[in-house]
Structures are given as C-alpha cells and as structure tokens.
Amino acid sequence: MASRVMVALRVKASPGRAFEAFTAEIGQWWKPNPLFAFTPRAPGVLSFEGTERLIETRDGGKVFEIGRIQVWEPGVRLVVDWRQATFTPGMATQVEVTFEAVGDETRVTVTHTGWDSVPKAHAAKHGFPDTAFLARHGEWWRTLLGSLRAHLG
Amino acid sequence: MAEKRALSSAVVYRDPAAALKWLEAAFSFETTLLIEDADGNLAHAQMAWGDSLVMVGSEWTAEHKSPASIDGLMTQTVHIQLADGDGTVDAHCERARQAGAVIVAEPDMQFYGDRTYRCKDPEGHIWTVSQTLLQIAPDQWDTGDMGLKATIYKA
C-alpha cells in the first residue's frame, strides 16, 4: 500500500469541457502555493505542452518540467508525473485526474500518489508529519479544483 | 459543494474505507477528500451530501469508538434531510436496504409534516432520513394525544 491524496468535486460542464479547462486553460485557474512550490524561485505559469508534458514557465521565460504526461484521454482521464526541482532521482509523484459525467455535471477527481518516495526530512515536506503534509496537500488540491470550478462558471 | 462548514459531523468507523463505499452505495454520498497514509490506512475523509459534508474517520484515539466496538451504543446520530429534488424517502430507504442497512423504523409520516425513516449502517450508526411533505406550522402540528406543546422562540 502507499499513501494517497484524493480530492473530488463536481463542476457544471461536460467531461469534455472540464478536461479542456483543466488542461488548455490551467494557466488561468491554477493558483501557486508557497508550501508546494515547484522551484525555489517565484512561481510561473503552468501549461500543458501538447500531450507531452506539464511545465511551469517563469517570468523570464525559463521552463521547468513538472512531469511527462503518461495518459491523455480527453474527457476521461489524465495522468501526469509530478516533481519539484529539489527532488532527487528516485523521488517521484504522480497525479491522475478523472472526469466522470454525473447528470449534467462532471465529477473531477484528482488522485495524487507517490509522496512516500520523498523522505520526511526532505524540504518539500516542510517537517510536517506525513498525514499532516498529505492533508495540507489535499486542501490545496481542493482549493485548486474550487478555482477550476469557478473558472468553468 | 461541500467545503469546510461551520458545523459538520465526524463519524467514527472501525473500517472507514468500507464505510466510504457503503455510504456512497446506500446514501449517494460522494467522497470529496481522502487522505491515506503510507500503509494505506485511511487518515481522513470527507463526503458531500448537497451543500453539507460529513467526515469519516477511524477510531483514532481511545475515546473515538464505532458503535461496533461499544456494544452498539452511540451518543449522536446524523440526520439527512432530503430536498424536493432528491427523490422520495421511500426510494432512499429501499436503496439503503439494498446496500445492507438495517431499517430500524420504516418510512412513516410524522406529526410535523415530514416523512422519515431510520436505519443502522454496517457498524451500527443510526442515520435518520427525512423529507418535508406537508408544510405545517408548529401551532398546527397534529400531536394528537401525545401531550406535546410546540413553542417557537424567536431569535
């Protein structure tokens, strides 16, 4: 077994539209959180580069690769690797996003796994006990999905 | 959607992961937050029902017990209020029964205008489910020979 953070909510959109907003428009609803910064520098803007990778582009144009896209099924499922700049080889997390029609809404579910690969003493965990770290991370994902929902109107 | 609310219940289970599945099957609750630790144990979970939420957790201290661990006793129950668009109490009851709920009180009309039923989940928590079918002012309640008197205190 391994640790897992799962957050889900409904958005008022079709699965296809929700997927499009999550991917093509991520730069519009994403909100950086200093606790979970990808790089030690000021946060940039997130975007999906084709169906290849998720990147963060800083003001000066420098690009950080957050992760490669492993699954790209528009309107259904997205799986992307997820790492911070301070991760060393062997540290890897992964984010799965699923889109499920519920009536005229879509249930968007984010499942973030792999945080066990990052040692408790690593800077990315800020000294939090594991479950507290995961709970904070879950709250951040909920904030993010709330922002996505607001973006979809 | 269920964000953090001013007031919400945290319900304790010996097997909270099973409870999440059961509450979804029986009551249509939707898991909105789930934290599992490195051993795969459920650390925290929240489920949404309408604009409310209920937290589902384990027996995480010696003072948090499921009814299944204390001879079926409990000190609180959770009440589910169905809105007009949520289907009927009777259909809700049948779905819960199919999921394995023990129906403690079958659906019945109450003197205050609600139709309600009461059931126990697999660990023995009692849930009440209610829907207002008749709008009856408290001074019109048909309390029959119950000897009840309704008093409304204005806030």
Side-chain angles (χ1 to χ4, degrees), chain A residues 1-10 102 107 116 131 134-135 138-139 142 146 149, chain B residues 1-4 24 28 30-40 43 46 53:
Chain A
M1 296 298 282
S3 69
R4 185 160 70 117
V5 175
M6 194 212 89
V7 173
L9 55 67
R10 293 192 193 186
V102 183
R107 188 169 193 238
D116 302 327
T131 51
L134 294 170
E139 285 174 13
R142 181 147 61 183
R149 181 176 53 195
Chain B
M1 200 63 190
E3 313 291 341
K4 282 182 182 170
E24 180 172 353
S28 305
E30 286 187 10
T31 303
T32 55
L33 176 66
L34 173 64
I35 309 291
E36 289 176 343
D37 66 19
D39 300 320
Q46 295 179 8
L53 72 83

PDB file of all heavy atoms in Angstrom, chain A residues 1-10 102 107 116 131 134-135 138-139 142 146 149, chain B residues 1-4 24 28 30-40 43 46 53:
ATOM      1  N   MET A   1       0.847  -1.197   0.000  1.00  0.00           N
ATOM      2  CA  MET A   1       0.000   0.000   0.000  1.00  0.00           C
ATOM      3  C   MET A   1       0.882   1.245   0.000  1.00  0.00           C
ATOM      4  O   MET A   1       2.049   1.193   0.343  1.00  0.00           O
ATOM      5  CB  MET A   1      -0.905   0.007   1.225  1.00  0.00           C
ATOM      6  CG  MET A   1      -1.913  -1.137   1.281  1.00  0.00           C
ATOM      7  SD  MET A   1      -3.073  -1.144  -0.082  1.00  0.00           S
ATOM      8  CE  MET A   1      -4.221   0.143   0.439  1.00  0.00           C
ATOM      9  N   ALA A   2       0.286   2.334  -0.386  1.00  0.00           N
ATOM     10  CA  ALA A   2       1.038   3.579  -0.438  1.00  0.00           C
ATOM     11  C   ALA A   2       0.110   4.736  -0.118  1.00  0.00           C
ATOM     12  O   ALA A   2      -1.101   4.595  -0.184  1.00  0.00           O
ATOM     13  CB  ALA A   2       1.641   3.764  -1.828  1.00  0.00           C
ATOM     14  N   SER A   3       0.702   5.855   0.243  1.00  0.00           N
ATOM     15  CA  SER A   3      -0.124   6.999   0.600  1.00  0.00           C
ATOM     16  C   SER A   3      -0.835   7.545  -0.636  1.00  0.00           C
ATOM     17  O   SER A   3      -0.389   7.381  -1.765  1.00  0.00           O
ATOM     18  CB  SER A   3       0.725   8.089   1.240  1.00  0.00           C
ATOM     19  OG  SER A   3       1.581   8.659   0.277  1.00  0.00           O
ATOM     20  N   ARG A   4      -1.926   8.211  -0.366  1.00  0.00           N
ATOM     21  CA  ARG A   4      -2.766   8.692  -1.456  1.00  0.00           C
ATOM     22  C   ARG A   4      -3.547   9.906  -0.976  1.00  0.00           C
ATOM     23  O   ARG A   4      -4.047   9.917   0.158  1.00  0.00           O
ATOM     24  CB  ARG A   4      -3.727   7.567  -1.851  1.00  0.00           C
ATOM     25  CG  ARG A   4      -4.600   7.818  -3.039  1.00  0.00           C
ATOM     26  CD  ARG A   4      -5.121   6.499  -3.592  1.00  0.00           C
ATOM     27  NE  ARG A   4      -6.080   5.865  -2.718  1.00  0.00           N
ATOM     28  CZ  ARG A   4      -7.368   5.644  -3.060  1.00  0.00           C
ATOM     29  NH1 ARG A   4      -7.803   5.985  -4.243  1.00  0.00           N
ATOM     30  NH2 ARG A   4      -8.187   5.051  -2.224  1.00  0.00           N
ATOM     31  N   VAL A   5      -3.616  10.904  -1.814  1.00  0.00           N
ATOM     32  CA  VAL A   5      -4.472  12.055  -1.558  1.00  0.00           C
ATOM     33  C   VAL A   5      -5.513  12.080  -2.666  1.00  0.00           C
ATOM     34  O   VAL A   5      -5.154  12.080  -3.844  1.00  0.00           O
ATOM     35  CB  VAL A   5      -3.679  13.377  -1.598  1.00  0.00           C
ATOM     36  CG1 VAL A   5      -4.614  14.572  -1.439  1.00  0.00           C
ATOM     37  CG2 VAL A   5      -2.604  13.407  -0.533  1.00  0.00           C
ATOM     38  N   MET A   6      -6.766  12.062  -2.305  1.00  0.00           N
ATOM     39  CA  MET A   6      -7.811  12.114  -3.322  1.00  0.00           C
ATOM     40  C   MET A   6      -8.775  13.249  -3.023  1.00  0.00           C
ATOM     41  O   MET A   6      -9.218  13.398  -1.882  1.00  0.00           O
ATOM     42  CB  MET A   6      -8.574  10.788  -3.360  1.00  0.00           C
ATOM     43  CG  MET A   6      -9.443  10.630  -4.579  1.00  0.00           C
ATOM     44  SD  MET A   6     -10.928   9.666  -4.202  1.00  0.00           S
ATOM     45  CE  MET A   6     -12.015  10.999  -3.691  1.00  0.00           C
ATOM     46  N   VAL A   7      -9.037  14.039  -4.028  1.00  0.00           N
ATOM     47  CA  VAL A   7      -9.971  15.151  -3.883  1.00  0.00           C
ATOM     48  C   VAL A   7     -10.914  15.131  -5.077  1.00  0.00           C
ATOM     49  O   VAL A   7     -10.474  14.914  -6.208  1.00  0.00           O
ATOM     50  CB  VAL A   7      -9.217  16.502  -3.832  1.00  0.00           C
ATOM     51  CG1 VAL A   7     -10.196  17.658  -3.844  1.00  0.00           C
ATOM     52  CG2 VAL A   7      -8.337  16.574  -2.600  1.00  0.00           C
ATOM     53  N   ALA A   8     -12.194  15.319  -4.827  1.00  0.00           N
ATOM     54  CA  ALA A   8     -13.151  15.299  -5.925  1.00  0.00           C
ATOM     55  C   ALA A   8     -14.200  16.367  -5.718  1.00  0.00           C
ATOM     56  O   ALA A   8     -14.546  16.696  -4.589  1.00  0.00           O
ATOM     57  CB  ALA A   8     -13.827  13.930  -6.012  1.00  0.00           C
ATOM     58  N   LEU A   9     -14.661  16.928  -6.802  1.00  0.00           N
ATOM     59  CA  LEU A   9     -15.833  17.788  -6.741  1.00  0.00           C
ATOM     60  C   LEU A   9     -16.501  17.825  -8.102  1.00  0.00           C
ATOM     61  O   LEU A   9     -15.959  17.341  -9.093  1.00  0.00           O
ATOM     62  CB  LEU A   9     -15.496  19.195  -6.233  1.00  0.00           C
ATOM     63  CG  LEU A   9     -14.434  20.042  -6.903  1.00  0.00           C
ATOM     64  CD1 LEU A   9     -14.824  20.448  -8.297  1.00  0.00           C
ATOM     65  CD2 LEU A   9     -14.223  21.308  -6.079  1.00  0.00           C
ATOM     66  N   ARG A  10     -17.705  18.369  -8.109  1.00  0.00           N
ATOM     67  CA  ARG A  10     -18.457  18.452  -9.358  1.00  0.00           C
ATOM     68  C   ARG A  10     -18.312  19.837  -9.971  1.00  0.00           C
ATOM     69  O   ARG A  10     -18.297  20.834  -9.252  1.00  0.00           O
ATOM     70  CB  ARG A  10     -19.934  18.184  -9.104  1.00  0.00           C
ATOM     71  CG  ARG A  10     -20.225  16.769  -8.667  1.00  0.00           C
ATOM     72  CD  ARG A  10     -21.711  16.572  -8.732  1.00  0.00           C
ATOM     73  NE  ARG A  10     -22.138  15.358  -8.055  1.00  0.00           N
ATOM     74  CZ  ARG A  10     -23.390  14.923  -8.090  1.00  0.00           C
ATOM     75  NH1 ARG A  10     -24.307  15.614  -8.749  1.00  0.00           N
ATOM     76  NH2 ARG A  10     -23.727  13.818  -7.462  1.00  0.00           N
ATOM     77  N   VAL A 102     -21.936  13.135 -14.246  1.00  0.00           N
ATOM     78  CA  VAL A 102     -22.968  12.877 -13.239  1.00  0.00           C
ATOM     79  C   VAL A 102     -24.121  13.812 -13.590  1.00  0.00           C
ATOM     80  O   VAL A 102     -24.075  14.991 -13.296  1.00  0.00           O
ATOM     81  CB  VAL A 102     -22.465  13.170 -11.808  1.00  0.00           C
ATOM     82  CG1 VAL A 102     -23.554  12.820 -10.801  1.00  0.00           C
ATOM     83  CG2 VAL A 102     -21.186  12.412 -11.509  1.00  0.00           C
ATOM     84  N   ARG A 107     -17.924  15.019 -12.458  1.00  0.00           N
ATOM     85  CA  ARG A 107     -17.163  14.835 -11.223  1.00  0.00           C
ATOM     86  C   ARG A 107     -15.685  14.753 -11.606  1.00  0.00           C
ATOM     87  O   ARG A 107     -15.274  13.835 -12.322  1.00  0.00           O
ATOM     88  CB  ARG A 107     -17.619  13.565 -10.510  1.00  0.00           C
ATOM     89  CG  ARG A 107     -17.012  13.407  -9.146  1.00  0.00           C
ATOM     90  CD  ARG A 107     -17.707  12.290  -8.374  1.00  0.00           C
ATOM     91  NE  ARG A 107     -17.326  12.339  -6.979  1.00  0.00           N
ATOM     92  CZ  ARG A 107     -16.752  11.323  -6.329  1.00  0.00           C
ATOM     93  NH1 ARG A 107     -16.512  10.199  -6.959  1.00  0.00           N
ATOM     94  NH2 ARG A 107     -16.431  11.441  -5.063  1.00  0.00           N
ATOM     95  N   ASP A 116       5.341   8.977  -0.686  1.00  0.00           N
ATOM     96  CA  ASP A 116       6.209   8.131   0.153  1.00  0.00           C
ATOM     97  C   ASP A 116       7.639   8.107  -0.375  1.00  0.00           C
ATOM     98  O   ASP A 116       8.576   7.794   0.370  1.00  0.00           O
ATOM     99  CB  ASP A 116       5.682   6.685   0.176  1.00  0.00           C
ATOM    100  CG  ASP A 116       4.258   6.629   0.688  1.00  0.00           C
ATOM    101  OD1 ASP A 116       3.920   7.463   1.544  1.00  0.00           O
ATOM    102  OD2 ASP A 116       3.502   5.774   0.217  1.00  0.00           O
ATOM    103  N   THR A 131       0.912  12.478   7.578  1.00  0.00           N
ATOM    104  CA  THR A 131      -0.511  12.657   7.309  1.00  0.00           C
ATOM    105  C   THR A 131      -0.898  14.130   7.312  1.00  0.00           C
ATOM    106  O   THR A 131      -1.786  14.546   6.572  1.00  0.00           O
ATOM    107  CB  THR A 131      -1.383  11.882   8.331  1.00  0.00           C
ATOM    108  OG1 THR A 131      -0.947  12.215   9.637  1.00  0.00           O
ATOM    109  CG2 THR A 131      -1.256  10.391   8.113  1.00  0.00           C
ATOM    110  N   LEU A 134       0.029  15.394   3.927  1.00  0.00           N
ATOM    111  CA  LEU A 134      -0.928  14.941   2.919  1.00  0.00           C
ATOM    112  C   LEU A 134      -2.260  15.683   3.040  1.00  0.00           C
ATOM    113  O   LEU A 134      -2.899  16.005   2.047  1.00  0.00           O
ATOM    114  CB  LEU A 134      -1.141  13.426   3.035  1.00  0.00           C
ATOM    115  CG  LEU A 134       0.093  12.574   2.705  1.00  0.00           C
ATOM    116  CD1 LEU A 134      -0.150  11.118   3.092  1.00  0.00           C
ATOM    117  CD2 LEU A 134       0.464  12.677   1.232  1.00  0.00           C
ATOM    118  N   ALA A 135      -2.646  15.951   4.282  1.00  0.00           N
ATOM    119  CA  ALA A 135      -3.899  16.684   4.490  1.00  0.00           C
ATOM    120  C   ALA A 135      -3.789  18.105   3.935  1.00  0.00           C
ATOM    121  O   ALA A 135      -4.708  18.607   3.286  1.00  0.00           O
ATOM    122  CB  ALA A 135      -4.254  16.709   5.974  1.00  0.00           C
ATOM    123  N   GLY A 138      -3.972  17.890   0.291  1.00  0.00           N
ATOM    124  CA  GLY A 138      -5.346  17.664  -0.138  1.00  0.00           C
ATOM    125  C   GLY A 138      -6.157  18.955  -0.112  1.00  0.00           C
ATOM    126  O   GLY A 138      -6.949  19.227  -1.019  1.00  0.00           O
ATOM    127  N   GLU A 139      -5.922  19.749   0.930  1.00  0.00           N
ATOM    128  CA  GLU A 139      -6.640  21.026   0.998  1.00  0.00           C
ATOM    129  C   GLU A 139      -6.252  21.927  -0.160  1.00  0.00           C
ATOM    130  O   GLU A 139      -7.081  22.645  -0.711  1.00  0.00           O
ATOM    131  CB  GLU A 139      -6.350  21.714   2.329  1.00  0.00           C
ATOM    132  CG  GLU A 139      -7.090  21.078   3.482  1.00  0.00           C
ATOM    133  CD  GLU A 139      -6.693  21.682   4.813  1.00  0.00           C
ATOM    134  OE1 GLU A 139      -6.032  22.742   4.815  1.00  0.00           O
ATOM    135  OE2 GLU A 139      -7.040  21.089   5.840  1.00  0.00           O
ATOM    136  N   ARG A 142      -8.013  20.843  -3.176  1.00  0.00           N
ATOM    137  CA  ARG A 142      -9.412  21.255  -3.126  1.00  0.00           C
ATOM    138  C   ARG A 142      -9.557  22.728  -3.514  1.00  0.00           C
ATOM    139  O   ARG A 142     -10.477  23.105  -4.223  1.00  0.00           O
ATOM    140  CB  ARG A 142      -9.978  21.016  -1.729  1.00  0.00           C
ATOM    141  CG  ARG A 142     -11.444  21.411  -1.672  1.00  0.00           C
ATOM    142  CD  ARG A 142     -12.215  20.565  -0.740  1.00  0.00           C
ATOM    143  NE  ARG A 142     -11.717  20.683   0.609  1.00  0.00           N
ATOM    144  CZ  ARG A 142     -12.200  19.985   1.617  1.00  0.00           C
ATOM    145  NH1 ARG A 142     -13.141  19.104   1.401  1.00  0.00           N
ATOM    146  NH2 ARG A 142     -11.731  20.146   2.811  1.00  0.00           N
ATOM    147  N   GLY A 146     -11.578  23.993  -6.687  1.00  0.00           N
ATOM    148  CA  GLY A 146     -12.575  25.048  -6.496  1.00  0.00           C
ATOM    149  C   GLY A 146     -12.354  26.182  -7.476  1.00  0.00           C
ATOM    150  O   GLY A 146     -13.299  26.762  -8.027  1.00  0.00           O
ATOM    151  N   ARG A 149     -13.523  25.044 -10.804  1.00  0.00           N
ATOM    152  CA  ARG A 149     -14.993  25.109 -10.875  1.00  0.00           C
ATOM    153  C   ARG A 149     -15.460  26.542 -11.103  1.00  0.00           C
ATOM    154  O   ARG A 149     -16.351  26.803 -11.917  1.00  0.00           O
ATOM    155  CB  ARG A 149     -15.601  24.560  -9.591  1.00  0.00           C
ATOM    156  CG  ARG A 149     -17.122  24.580  -9.607  1.00  0.00           C
ATOM    157  CD  ARG A 149     -17.691  23.952  -8.368  1.00  0.00           C
ATOM    158  NE  ARG A 149     -17.128  24.547  -7.170  1.00  0.00           N
ATOM    159  CZ  ARG A 149     -17.208  24.023  -5.969  1.00  0.00           C
ATOM    160  NH1 ARG A 149     -17.804  22.853  -5.804  1.00  0.00           N
ATOM    161  NH2 ARG A 149     -16.695  24.625  -4.932  1.00  0.00           N
TER     162      ARG A 149
ATOM    163  N   MET B   1     -21.372  23.002  -3.096  1.00  0.00           N
ATOM    164  CA  MET B   1     -20.461  21.882  -2.850  1.00  0.00           C
ATOM    165  C   MET B   1     -19.871  22.005  -1.461  1.00  0.00           C
ATOM    166  O   MET B   1     -19.788  23.073  -0.893  1.00  0.00           O
ATOM    167  CB  MET B   1     -19.356  21.917  -3.904  1.00  0.00           C
ATOM    168  CG  MET B   1     -18.641  20.615  -4.078  1.00  0.00           C
ATOM    169  SD  MET B   1     -19.728  19.304  -4.665  1.00  0.00           S
ATOM    170  CE  MET B   1     -18.655  17.924  -4.447  1.00  0.00           C
ATOM    171  N   ALA B   2     -19.477  20.872  -0.936  1.00  0.00           N
ATOM    172  CA  ALA B   2     -19.089  20.847   0.467  1.00  0.00           C
ATOM    173  C   ALA B   2     -17.648  21.286   0.682  1.00  0.00           C
ATOM    174  O   ALA B   2     -16.719  20.524   0.490  1.00  0.00           O
ATOM    175  CB  ALA B   2     -19.299  19.440   1.013  1.00  0.00           C
ATOM    176  N   GLU B   3     -17.459  22.506   1.064  1.00  0.00           N
ATOM    177  CA  GLU B   3     -16.173  22.948   1.567  1.00  0.00           C
ATOM    178  C   GLU B   3     -16.254  22.774   3.084  1.00  0.00           C
ATOM    179  O   GLU B   3     -17.126  22.090   3.578  1.00  0.00           O
ATOM    180  CB  GLU B   3     -15.937  24.422   1.203  1.00  0.00           C
ATOM    181  CG  GLU B   3     -16.256  24.760  -0.244  1.00  0.00           C
ATOM    182  CD  GLU B   3     -15.283  24.134  -1.231  1.00  0.00           C
ATOM    183  OE1 GLU B   3     -14.186  23.753  -0.809  1.00  0.00           O
ATOM    184  OE2 GLU B   3     -15.639  24.033  -2.406  1.00  0.00           O
ATOM    185  N   LYS B   4     -15.329  23.394   3.814  1.00  0.00           N
ATOM    186  CA  LYS B   4     -15.462  23.312   5.266  1.00  0.00           C
ATOM    187  C   LYS B   4     -16.675  24.121   5.706  1.00  0.00           C
ATOM    188  O   LYS B   4     -16.854  25.251   5.287  1.00  0.00           O
ATOM    189  CB  LYS B   4     -14.200  23.860   5.929  1.00  0.00           C
ATOM    190  CG  LYS B   4     -13.051  22.863   5.886  1.00  0.00           C
ATOM    191  CD  LYS B   4     -11.840  23.408   6.595  1.00  0.00           C
ATOM    192  CE  LYS B   4     -10.692  22.417   6.498  1.00  0.00           C
ATOM    193  NZ  LYS B   4      -9.422  22.989   6.955  1.00  0.00           N
ATOM    194  N   GLU B  24     -21.657   5.680   0.066  1.00  0.00           N
ATOM    195  CA  GLU B  24     -21.935   6.067  -1.326  1.00  0.00           C
ATOM    196  C   GLU B  24     -23.046   5.185  -1.895  1.00  0.00           C
ATOM    197  O   GLU B  24     -23.981   5.665  -2.535  1.00  0.00           O
ATOM    198  CB  GLU B  24     -20.662   5.942  -2.175  1.00  0.00           C
ATOM    199  CG  GLU B  24     -20.915   6.327  -3.632  1.00  0.00           C
ATOM    200  CD  GLU B  24     -19.645   6.403  -4.463  1.00  0.00           C
ATOM    201  OE1 GLU B  24     -18.550   6.289  -3.884  1.00  0.00           O
ATOM    202  OE2 GLU B  24     -19.776   6.577  -5.685  1.00  0.00           O
ATOM    203  N   SER B  28     -25.811   7.748  -1.460  1.00  0.00           N
ATOM    204  CA  SER B  28     -25.344   8.603  -2.569  1.00  0.00           C
ATOM    205  C   SER B  28     -24.375   9.690  -2.104  1.00  0.00           C
ATOM    206  O   SER B  28     -24.198  10.684  -2.806  1.00  0.00           O
ATOM    207  CB  SER B  28     -26.511   9.271  -3.307  1.00  0.00           C
ATOM    208  OG  SER B  28     -27.429   8.331  -3.759  1.00  0.00           O
ATOM    209  N   GLU B  30     -20.859  11.452  -1.751  1.00  0.00           N
ATOM    210  CA  GLU B  30     -19.704  11.423  -2.634  1.00  0.00           C
ATOM    211  C   GLU B  30     -18.444  11.787  -1.857  1.00  0.00           C
ATOM    212  O   GLU B  30     -18.415  12.801  -1.156  1.00  0.00           O
ATOM    213  CB  GLU B  30     -19.864  12.424  -3.791  1.00  0.00           C
ATOM    214  CG  GLU B  30     -20.846  11.957  -4.833  1.00  0.00           C
ATOM    215  CD  GLU B  30     -20.882  12.871  -6.049  1.00  0.00           C
ATOM    216  OE1 GLU B  30     -20.019  13.771  -6.176  1.00  0.00           O
ATOM    217  OE2 GLU B  30     -21.779  12.676  -6.879  1.00  0.00           O
ATOM    218  N   THR B  31     -17.423  10.967  -1.979  1.00  0.00           N
ATOM    219  CA  THR B  31     -16.158  11.273  -1.319  1.00  0.00           C
ATOM    220  C   THR B  31     -15.532  12.496  -1.991  1.00  0.00           C
ATOM    221  O   THR B  31     -15.352  12.519  -3.199  1.00  0.00           O
ATOM    222  CB  THR B  31     -15.189  10.086  -1.411  1.00  0.00           C
ATOM    223  OG1 THR B  31     -15.807   8.945  -0.835  1.00  0.00           O
ATOM    224  CG2 THR B  31     -13.882  10.387  -0.668  1.00  0.00           C
ATOM    225  N   THR B  32     -15.225  13.512  -1.191  1.00  0.00           N
ATOM    226  CA  THR B  32     -14.624  14.716  -1.752  1.00  0.00           C
ATOM    227  C   THR B  32     -13.186  14.909  -1.291  1.00  0.00           C
ATOM    228  O   THR B  32     -12.453  15.694  -1.869  1.00  0.00           O
ATOM    229  CB  THR B  32     -15.428  15.970  -1.351  1.00  0.00           C
ATOM    230  OG1 THR B  32     -15.540  15.999   0.073  1.00  0.00           O
ATOM    231  CG2 THR B  32     -16.813  15.936  -1.968  1.00  0.00           C
ATOM    232  N   LEU B  33     -12.795  14.207  -0.239  1.00  0.00           N
ATOM    233  CA  LEU B  33     -11.418  14.314   0.241  1.00  0.00           C
ATOM    234  C   LEU B  33     -11.055  12.999   0.916  1.00  0.00           C
ATOM    235  O   LEU B  33     -11.811  12.488   1.734  1.00  0.00           O
ATOM    236  CB  LEU B  33     -11.274  15.470   1.238  1.00  0.00           C
ATOM    237  CG  LEU B  33      -9.902  15.638   1.897  1.00  0.00           C
ATOM    238  CD1 LEU B  33      -8.846  16.029   0.870  1.00  0.00           C
ATOM    239  CD2 LEU B  33      -9.951  16.690   2.985  1.00  0.00           C
ATOM    240  N   LEU B  34      -9.901  12.469   0.536  1.00  0.00           N
ATOM    241  CA  LEU B  34      -9.458  11.202   1.111  1.00  0.00           C
ATOM    242  C   LEU B  34      -7.948  11.260   1.282  1.00  0.00           C
ATOM    243  O   LEU B  34      -7.227  11.555   0.329  1.00  0.00           O
ATOM    244  CB  LEU B  34      -9.837  10.045   0.179  1.00  0.00           C
ATOM    245  CG  LEU B  34      -9.296   8.660   0.537  1.00  0.00           C
ATOM    246  CD1 LEU B  34      -9.863   8.174   1.856  1.00  0.00           C
ATOM    247  CD2 LEU B  34      -9.636   7.659  -0.568  1.00  0.00           C
ATOM    248  N   ILE B  35      -7.496  11.039   2.516  1.00  0.00           N
ATOM    249  CA  ILE B  35      -6.066  11.009   2.797  1.00  0.00           C
ATOM    250  C   ILE B  35      -5.727   9.634   3.334  1.00  0.00           C
ATOM    251  O   ILE B  35      -6.279   9.207   4.348  1.00  0.00           O
ATOM    252  CB  ILE B  35      -5.667  12.065   3.869  1.00  0.00           C
ATOM    253  CG1 ILE B  35      -6.202  13.453   3.506  1.00  0.00           C
ATOM    254  CG2 ILE B  35      -4.159  12.079   4.085  1.00  0.00           C
ATOM    255  CD1 ILE B  35      -5.555  14.094   2.326  1.00  0.00           C
ATOM    256  N   GLU B  36      -4.816   8.931   2.643  1.00  0.00           N
ATOM    257  CA  GLU B  36      -4.355   7.632   3.114  1.00  0.00           C
ATOM    258  C   GLU B  36      -2.866   7.701   3.409  1.00  0.00           C
ATOM    259  O   GLU B  36      -2.106   8.303   2.643  1.00  0.00           O
ATOM    260  CB  GLU B  36      -4.634   6.552   2.055  1.00  0.00           C
ATOM    261  CG  GLU B  36      -6.112   6.246   1.922  1.00  0.00           C
ATOM    262  CD  GLU B  36      -6.422   5.252   0.822  1.00  0.00           C
ATOM    263  OE1 GLU B  36      -5.554   5.042  -0.045  1.00  0.00           O
ATOM    264  OE2 GLU B  36      -7.517   4.705   0.821  1.00  0.00           O
ATOM    265  N   ASP B  37      -2.465   7.076   4.528  1.00  0.00           N
ATOM    266  CA  ASP B  37      -1.057   7.153   4.916  1.00  0.00           C
ATOM    267  C   ASP B  37      -0.222   6.113   4.167  1.00  0.00           C
ATOM    268  O   ASP B  37      -0.734   5.391   3.302  1.00  0.00           O
ATOM    269  CB  ASP B  37      -0.902   7.019   6.438  1.00  0.00           C
ATOM    270  CG  ASP B  37      -1.306   5.642   6.956  1.00  0.00           C
ATOM    271  OD1 ASP B  37      -1.370   4.687   6.160  1.00  0.00           O
ATOM    272  OD2 ASP B  37      -1.552   5.527   8.175  1.00  0.00           O
ATOM    273  N   ALA B  38       1.071   6.044   4.514  1.00  0.00           N
ATOM    274  CA  ALA B  38       1.999   5.190   3.774  1.00  0.00           C
ATOM    275  C   ALA B  38       1.601   3.720   3.833  1.00  0.00           C
ATOM    276  O   ALA B  38       1.961   2.936   2.953  1.00  0.00           O
ATOM    277  CB  ALA B  38       3.408   5.369   4.315  1.00  0.00           C
ATOM    278  N   ASP B  39       0.850   3.336   4.861  1.00  0.00           N
ATOM    279  CA  ASP B  39       0.398   1.951   4.971  1.00  0.00           C
ATOM    280  C   ASP B  39      -0.955   1.730   4.305  1.00  0.00           C
ATOM    281  O   ASP B  39      -1.533   0.647   4.409  1.00  0.00           O
ATOM    282  CB  ASP B  39       0.309   1.548   6.456  1.00  0.00           C
ATOM    283  CG  ASP B  39       1.656   1.666   7.145  1.00  0.00           C
ATOM    284  OD1 ASP B  39       2.669   1.310   6.505  1.00  0.00           O
ATOM    285  OD2 ASP B  39       1.701   2.125   8.301  1.00  0.00           O
ATOM    286  N   GLY B  40      -1.471   2.784   3.675  1.00  0.00           N
ATOM    287  CA  GLY B  40      -2.763   2.659   3.010  1.00  0.00           C
ATOM    288  C   GLY B  40      -3.944   2.800   3.949  1.00  0.00           C
ATOM    289  O   GLY B  40      -5.084   2.589   3.559  1.00  0.00           O
ATOM    290  N   ALA B  43      -6.598   8.103   6.750  1.00  0.00           N
ATOM    291  CA  ALA B  43      -6.270   9.065   7.801  1.00  0.00           C
ATOM    292  C   ALA B  43      -7.388  10.079   7.974  1.00  0.00           C
ATOM    293  O   ALA B  43      -7.660  10.541   9.077  1.00  0.00           O
ATOM    294  CB  ALA B  43      -4.964   9.782   7.465  1.00  0.00           C
ATOM    295  N   GLN B  46     -13.682  13.069   3.774  1.00  0.00           N
ATOM    296  CA  GLN B  46     -14.901  13.868   3.822  1.00  0.00           C
ATOM    297  C   GLN B  46     -15.799  13.442   2.678  1.00  0.00           C
ATOM    298  O   GLN B  46     -15.333  13.136   1.587  1.00  0.00           O
ATOM    299  CB  GLN B  46     -14.576  15.367   3.693  1.00  0.00           C
ATOM    300  CG  GLN B  46     -13.768  15.895   4.867  1.00  0.00           C
ATOM    301  CD  GLN B  46     -13.425  17.364   4.724  1.00  0.00           C
ATOM    302  OE1 GLN B  46     -13.904  18.048   3.824  1.00  0.00           O
ATOM    303  NE2 GLN B  46     -12.581  17.850   5.617  1.00  0.00           N
ATOM    304  N   LEU B  53     -21.398  18.385   4.481  1.00  0.00           N
ATOM    305  CA  LEU B  53     -20.383  17.345   4.450  1.00  0.00           C
ATOM    306  C   LEU B  53     -20.409  16.565   5.745  1.00  0.00           C
ATOM    307  O   LEU B  53     -20.862  17.046   6.792  1.00  0.00           O
ATOM    308  CB  LEU B  53     -18.990  17.937   4.208  1.00  0.00           C
ATOM    309  CG  LEU B  53     -18.309  18.728   5.328  1.00  0.00           C
ATOM    310  CD1 LEU B  53     -17.597  17.817   6.319  1.00  0.00           C
ATOM    311  CD2 LEU B  53     -17.294  19.691   4.723  1.00  0.00           C
TER     312      LEU B  53
END
